[in-house]
Amino acid sequence: LDWGADEGVDDGRGLRIVIMLHMFSPSDLHTNEDKQQLQFEIETEVCKIGEIEKVTVFENNPEGAVAVKFKEAKSAEKCITTMKGRFFGGKEIECDFWDGVTNHQVKESADKEDARLDSFGDWCDNQSSDSDTGINYDYDSDEGPD
């Protein structure tokens, strides 16, 4: 029996998630737009290799880690052979299968969390209230609308 060994270098494990390192520096990602732009650039490049299901940028990771999940294992393998050793943003990319164990997510610092929560609080304070919309809500009534 031949399980498609001629179709690529699939080692039979069916691994579809690739971790790429040195894709960014955490200081490069100042805003959500920066993260989205990086994600878009990576998606644009790796979709040439094969169909992707998801790209995850681990924004606080000091190694600049990005995970790419492909629809098929052979695309993940091709990504590794294509991207490993290439340069992106002046840095040489390291690329390999996700080991299934390593968590590349890095918790944000307490200062960053405080700043994010303050920003969210400011946003909440500036949202419209019921009186701003011109709609009269009667929360105490047991009856339905007239």
Side-chain angles (χ1 to χ4, degrees), residues 83-105:
M83 302 300 283
K84 188 180 278 188
R86 285 181 61 179
F87 284 83
F88 184 82
K91 299 174 186 165
E92 187 174 355
I93 299 172
E94 289 182 38
C95 193
D96 210 341
F97 289 113
W98 178 49
D99 61 14
V101 177
T102 304
N103 182 358
H104 294 279
Q105 187 69 41

PDB file of all heavy atoms in Angstrom, residues 83-105:
ATOM      1  N   MET A  83      10.313  28.624   3.877  1.00  0.00           N
ATOM      2  CA  MET A  83      10.530  29.814   4.706  1.00  0.00           C
ATOM      3  C   MET A  83      11.775  29.752   5.591  1.00  0.00           C
ATOM      4  O   MET A  83      12.335  30.796   5.923  1.00  0.00           O
ATOM      5  CB  MET A  83       9.298  30.059   5.591  1.00  0.00           C
ATOM      6  CG  MET A  83       7.999  30.243   4.810  1.00  0.00           C
ATOM      7  SD  MET A  83       8.030  31.642   3.680  1.00  0.00           S
ATOM      8  CE  MET A  83       7.793  32.977   4.821  1.00  0.00           C
ATOM      9  N   LYS A  84      12.199  28.562   5.958  1.00  0.00           N
ATOM     10  CA  LYS A  84      13.361  28.434   6.844  1.00  0.00           C
ATOM     11  C   LYS A  84      14.592  29.057   6.184  1.00  0.00           C
ATOM     12  O   LYS A  84      14.934  28.724   5.054  1.00  0.00           O
ATOM     13  CB  LYS A  84      13.632  26.967   7.168  1.00  0.00           C
ATOM     14  CG  LYS A  84      14.707  26.763   8.231  1.00  0.00           C
ATOM     15  CD  LYS A  84      14.949  25.295   8.516  1.00  0.00           C
ATOM     16  CE  LYS A  84      13.900  24.811   9.473  1.00  0.00           C
ATOM     17  NZ  LYS A  84      14.139  23.441   9.961  1.00  0.00           N
ATOM     18  N   GLY A  85      15.203  29.987   6.898  1.00  0.00           N
ATOM     19  CA  GLY A  85      16.412  30.626   6.385  1.00  0.00           C
ATOM     20  C   GLY A  85      16.161  31.882   5.573  1.00  0.00           C
ATOM     21  O   GLY A  85      17.098  32.622   5.281  1.00  0.00           O
ATOM     22  N   ARG A  86      14.912  32.140   5.206  1.00  0.00           N
ATOM     23  CA  ARG A  86      14.602  33.387   4.501  1.00  0.00           C
ATOM     24  C   ARG A  86      14.676  34.545   5.488  1.00  0.00           C
ATOM     25  O   ARG A  86      14.670  34.357   6.700  1.00  0.00           O
ATOM     26  CB  ARG A  86      13.197  33.328   3.887  1.00  0.00           C
ATOM     27  CG  ARG A  86      13.147  32.469   2.656  1.00  0.00           C
ATOM     28  CD  ARG A  86      11.782  32.416   2.040  1.00  0.00           C
ATOM     29  NE  ARG A  86      11.302  33.721   1.603  1.00  0.00           N
ATOM     30  CZ  ARG A  86      10.130  33.917   1.019  1.00  0.00           C
ATOM     31  NH1 ARG A  86       9.315  32.896   0.798  1.00  0.00           N
ATOM     32  NH2 ARG A  86       9.746  35.114   0.650  1.00  0.00           N
ATOM     33  N   PHE A  87      14.722  35.745   4.962  1.00  0.00           N
ATOM     34  CA  PHE A  87      14.781  36.932   5.805  1.00  0.00           C
ATOM     35  C   PHE A  87      13.461  37.686   5.742  1.00  0.00           C
ATOM     36  O   PHE A  87      12.851  37.795   4.678  1.00  0.00           O
ATOM     37  CB  PHE A  87      15.938  37.845   5.374  1.00  0.00           C
ATOM     38  CG  PHE A  87      17.265  37.324   5.832  1.00  0.00           C
ATOM     39  CD1 PHE A  87      17.932  36.358   5.096  1.00  0.00           C
ATOM     40  CD2 PHE A  87      17.839  37.785   7.010  1.00  0.00           C
ATOM     41  CE1 PHE A  87      19.149  35.860   5.518  1.00  0.00           C
ATOM     42  CE2 PHE A  87      19.059  37.295   7.440  1.00  0.00           C
ATOM     43  CZ  PHE A  87      19.715  36.326   6.693  1.00  0.00           C
ATOM     44  N   PHE A  88      13.039  38.163   6.898  1.00  0.00           N
ATOM     45  CA  PHE A  88      11.816  38.947   7.008  1.00  0.00           C
ATOM     46  C   PHE A  88      12.093  40.065   7.996  1.00  0.00           C
ATOM     47  O   PHE A  88      12.501  39.805   9.136  1.00  0.00           O
ATOM     48  CB  PHE A  88      10.656  38.067   7.502  1.00  0.00           C
ATOM     49  CG  PHE A  88       9.337  38.781   7.554  1.00  0.00           C
ATOM     50  CD1 PHE A  88       8.575  38.925   6.407  1.00  0.00           C
ATOM     51  CD2 PHE A  88       8.862  39.311   8.745  1.00  0.00           C
ATOM     52  CE1 PHE A  88       7.353  39.582   6.450  1.00  0.00           C
ATOM     53  CE2 PHE A  88       7.650  39.970   8.799  1.00  0.00           C
ATOM     54  CZ  PHE A  88       6.889  40.095   7.644  1.00  0.00           C
ATOM     55  N   GLY A  89      11.934  41.295   7.562  1.00  0.00           N
ATOM     56  CA  GLY A  89      12.210  42.431   8.442  1.00  0.00           C
ATOM     57  C   GLY A  89      13.650  42.485   8.902  1.00  0.00           C
ATOM     58  O   GLY A  89      13.934  42.925  10.012  1.00  0.00           O
ATOM     59  N   GLY A  90      14.564  41.977   8.078  1.00  0.00           N
ATOM     60  CA  GLY A  90      15.984  41.994   8.406  1.00  0.00           C
ATOM     61  C   GLY A  90      16.433  40.870   9.319  1.00  0.00           C
ATOM     62  O   GLY A  90      17.589  40.835   9.729  1.00  0.00           O
ATOM     63  N   LYS A  91      15.540  39.945   9.647  1.00  0.00           N
ATOM     64  CA  LYS A  91      15.884  38.839  10.544  1.00  0.00           C
ATOM     65  C   LYS A  91      15.694  37.510   9.815  1.00  0.00           C
ATOM     66  O   LYS A  91      14.768  37.339   9.018  1.00  0.00           O
ATOM     67  CB  LYS A  91      14.982  38.853  11.780  1.00  0.00           C
ATOM     68  CG  LYS A  91      15.109  40.117  12.598  1.00  0.00           C
ATOM     69  CD  LYS A  91      14.098  40.126  13.717  1.00  0.00           C
ATOM     70  CE  LYS A  91      14.131  41.461  14.440  1.00  0.00           C
ATOM     71  NZ  LYS A  91      12.979  41.661  15.277  1.00  0.00           N
ATOM     72  N   GLU A  92      16.571  36.557  10.125  1.00  0.00           N
ATOM     73  CA  GLU A  92      16.471  35.236   9.510  1.00  0.00           C
ATOM     74  C   GLU A  92      15.383  34.417  10.208  1.00  0.00           C
ATOM     75  O   GLU A  92      15.375  34.281  11.437  1.00  0.00           O
ATOM     76  CB  GLU A  92      17.809  34.495   9.598  1.00  0.00           C
ATOM     77  CG  GLU A  92      17.797  33.193   8.839  1.00  0.00           C
ATOM     78  CD  GLU A  92      19.158  32.511   8.795  1.00  0.00           C
ATOM     79  OE1 GLU A  92      20.144  33.107   9.291  1.00  0.00           O
ATOM     80  OE2 GLU A  92      19.235  31.391   8.280  1.00  0.00           O
ATOM     81  N   ILE A  93      14.476  33.869   9.421  1.00  0.00           N
ATOM     82  CA  ILE A  93      13.346  33.108   9.945  1.00  0.00           C
ATOM     83  C   ILE A  93      13.780  31.706  10.349  1.00  0.00           C
ATOM     84  O   ILE A  93      14.472  31.023   9.595  1.00  0.00           O
ATOM     85  CB  ILE A  93      12.228  32.999   8.879  1.00  0.00           C
ATOM     86  CG1 ILE A  93      11.721  34.384   8.491  1.00  0.00           C
ATOM     87  CG2 ILE A  93      11.082  32.117   9.378  1.00  0.00           C
ATOM     88  CD1 ILE A  93      10.765  34.370   7.302  1.00  0.00           C
ATOM     89  N   GLU A  94      13.371  31.299  11.538  1.00  0.00           N
ATOM     90  CA  GLU A  94      13.456  29.900  11.952  1.00  0.00           C
ATOM     91  C   GLU A  94      12.053  29.343  11.795  1.00  0.00           C
ATOM     92  O   GLU A  94      11.070  30.006  12.136  1.00  0.00           O
ATOM     93  CB  GLU A  94      13.904  29.780  13.411  1.00  0.00           C
ATOM     94  CG  GLU A  94      15.349  30.140  13.652  1.00  0.00           C
ATOM     95  CD  GLU A  94      15.741  29.942  15.109  1.00  0.00           C
ATOM     96  OE1 GLU A  94      15.270  28.958  15.730  1.00  0.00           O
ATOM     97  OE2 GLU A  94      16.485  30.782  15.615  1.00  0.00           O
ATOM     98  N   CYS A  95      11.952  28.128  11.297  1.00  0.00           N
ATOM     99  CA  CYS A  95      10.646  27.588  10.969  1.00  0.00           C
ATOM    100  C   CYS A  95      10.636  26.085  11.216  1.00  0.00           C
ATOM    101  O   CYS A  95      11.524  25.373  10.747  1.00  0.00           O
ATOM    102  CB  CYS A  95      10.381  27.902   9.496  1.00  0.00           C
ATOM    103  SG  CYS A  95       8.719  27.675   8.940  1.00  0.00           S
ATOM    104  N   ASP A  96       9.646  25.608  11.964  1.00  0.00           N
ATOM    105  CA  ASP A  96       9.530  24.179  12.226  1.00  0.00           C
ATOM    106  C   ASP A  96       8.105  23.869  12.652  1.00  0.00           C
ATOM    107  O   ASP A  96       7.318  24.771  12.931  1.00  0.00           O
ATOM    108  CB  ASP A  96      10.510  23.757  13.323  1.00  0.00           C
ATOM    109  CG  ASP A  96      10.975  22.311  13.157  1.00  0.00           C
ATOM    110  OD1 ASP A  96      10.304  21.529  12.455  1.00  0.00           O
ATOM    111  OD2 ASP A  96      12.023  21.981  13.719  1.00  0.00           O
ATOM    112  N   PHE A  97       7.786  22.565  12.725  1.00  0.00           N
ATOM    113  CA  PHE A  97       6.483  22.156  13.212  1.00  0.00           C
ATOM    114  C   PHE A  97       6.333  22.557  14.670  1.00  0.00           C
ATOM    115  O   PHE A  97       7.305  22.538  15.432  1.00  0.00           O
ATOM    116  CB  PHE A  97       6.307  20.635  13.113  1.00  0.00           C
ATOM    117  CG  PHE A  97       6.155  20.139  11.714  1.00  0.00           C
ATOM    118  CD1 PHE A  97       7.135  19.352  11.144  1.00  0.00           C
ATOM    119  CD2 PHE A  97       5.024  20.444  10.972  1.00  0.00           C
ATOM    120  CE1 PHE A  97       6.998  18.877   9.850  1.00  0.00           C
ATOM    121  CE2 PHE A  97       4.891  19.971   9.676  1.00  0.00           C
ATOM    122  CZ  PHE A  97       5.864  19.192   9.119  1.00  0.00           C
ATOM    123  N   TRP A  98       5.096  22.881  15.077  1.00  0.00           N
ATOM    124  CA  TRP A  98       4.814  23.102  16.488  1.00  0.00           C
ATOM    125  C   TRP A  98       4.968  21.769  17.195  1.00  0.00           C
ATOM    126  O   TRP A  98       4.495  20.729  16.720  1.00  0.00           O
ATOM    127  CB  TRP A  98       3.400  23.646  16.662  1.00  0.00           C
ATOM    128  CG  TRP A  98       3.006  23.852  18.090  1.00  0.00           C
ATOM    129  CD1 TRP A  98       3.725  24.507  19.047  1.00  0.00           C
ATOM    130  CD2 TRP A  98       1.817  23.402  18.723  1.00  0.00           C
ATOM    131  NE1 TRP A  98       3.041  24.504  20.235  1.00  0.00           N
ATOM    132  CE2 TRP A  98       1.858  23.829  20.064  1.00  0.00           C
ATOM    133  CE3 TRP A  98       0.712  22.700  18.291  1.00  0.00           C
ATOM    134  CZ2 TRP A  98       0.843  23.563  20.977  1.00  0.00           C
ATOM    135  CZ3 TRP A  98      -0.302  22.444  19.191  1.00  0.00           C
ATOM    136  CH2 TRP A  98      -0.231  22.865  20.514  1.00  0.00           C
ATOM    137  N   ASP A  99       5.642  21.780  18.328  1.00  0.00           N
ATOM    138  CA  ASP A  99       5.920  20.536  19.045  1.00  0.00           C
ATOM    139  C   ASP A  99       4.729  20.009  19.831  1.00  0.00           C
ATOM    140  O   ASP A  99       4.791  18.939  20.427  1.00  0.00           O
ATOM    141  CB  ASP A  99       7.134  20.700  19.966  1.00  0.00           C
ATOM    142  CG  ASP A  99       6.940  21.761  21.046  1.00  0.00           C
ATOM    143  OD1 ASP A  99       5.792  22.207  21.283  1.00  0.00           O
ATOM    144  OD2 ASP A  99       7.949  22.149  21.663  1.00  0.00           O
ATOM    145  N   GLY A 100       3.628  20.735  19.841  1.00  0.00           N
ATOM    146  CA  GLY A 100       2.438  20.299  20.556  1.00  0.00           C
ATOM    147  C   GLY A 100       2.472  20.593  22.037  1.00  0.00           C
ATOM    148  O   GLY A 100       1.518  20.301  22.750  1.00  0.00           O
ATOM    149  N   VAL A 101       3.559  21.175  22.508  1.00  0.00           N
ATOM    150  CA  VAL A 101       3.730  21.416  23.941  1.00  0.00           C
ATOM    151  C   VAL A 101       3.994  22.893  24.239  1.00  0.00           C
ATOM    152  O   VAL A 101       3.371  23.474  25.122  1.00  0.00           O
ATOM    153  CB  VAL A 101       4.896  20.566  24.503  1.00  0.00           C
ATOM    154  CG1 VAL A 101       5.129  20.865  25.972  1.00  0.00           C
ATOM    155  CG2 VAL A 101       4.641  19.088  24.290  1.00  0.00           C
ATOM    156  N   THR A 102       4.918  23.485  23.529  1.00  0.00           N
ATOM    157  CA  THR A 102       5.365  24.844  23.823  1.00  0.00           C
ATOM    158  C   THR A 102       4.230  25.847  23.658  1.00  0.00           C
ATOM    159  O   THR A 102       3.559  25.881  22.629  1.00  0.00           O
ATOM    160  CB  THR A 102       6.532  25.248  22.902  1.00  0.00           C
ATOM    161  OG1 THR A 102       7.569  24.283  23.041  1.00  0.00           O
ATOM    162  CG2 THR A 102       7.063  26.625  23.264  1.00  0.00           C
ATOM    163  N   ASN A 103       4.045  26.669  24.690  1.00  0.00           N
ATOM    164  CA  ASN A 103       3.061  27.743  24.640  1.00  0.00           C
ATOM    165  C   ASN A 103       3.813  29.026  24.297  1.00  0.00           C
ATOM    166  O   ASN A 103       4.594  29.522  25.105  1.00  0.00           O
ATOM    167  CB  ASN A 103       2.345  27.876  25.979  1.00  0.00           C
ATOM    168  CG  ASN A 103       1.278  28.950  25.974  1.00  0.00           C
ATOM    169  OD1 ASN A 103       1.077  29.643  24.976  1.00  0.00           O
ATOM    170  ND2 ASN A 103       0.595  29.097  27.092  1.00  0.00           N
ATOM    171  N   HIS A 104       3.584  29.554  23.123  1.00  0.00           N
ATOM    172  CA  HIS A 104       4.297  30.747  22.669  1.00  0.00           C
ATOM    173  C   HIS A 104       3.635  32.039  23.132  1.00  0.00           C
ATOM    174  O   HIS A 104       4.182  33.117  22.923  1.00  0.00           O
ATOM    175  CB  HIS A 104       4.426  30.725  21.147  1.00  0.00           C
ATOM    176  CG  HIS A 104       5.287  29.612  20.657  1.00  0.00           C
ATOM    177  ND1 HIS A 104       6.660  29.673  20.652  1.00  0.00           N
ATOM    178  CD2 HIS A 104       4.968  28.377  20.191  1.00  0.00           C
ATOM    179  CE1 HIS A 104       7.157  28.541  20.184  1.00  0.00           C
ATOM    180  NE2 HIS A 104       6.147  27.736  19.906  1.00  0.00           N
ATOM    181  N   GLN A 105       2.461  31.916  23.748  1.00  0.00           N
ATOM    182  CA  GLN A 105       1.768  33.088  24.269  1.00  0.00           C
ATOM    183  C   GLN A 105       2.507  33.594  25.498  1.00  0.00           C
ATOM    184  O   GLN A 105       2.831  32.815  26.392  1.00  0.00           O
ATOM    185  CB  GLN A 105       0.329  32.726  24.640  1.00  0.00           C
ATOM    186  CG  GLN A 105      -0.525  33.899  25.044  1.00  0.00           C
ATOM    187  CD  GLN A 105      -0.815  34.820  23.879  1.00  0.00           C
ATOM    188  OE1 GLN A 105      -1.085  34.370  22.779  1.00  0.00           O
ATOM    189  NE2 GLN A 105      -0.744  36.103  24.113  1.00  0.00           N
TER     190      GLN A 105
END
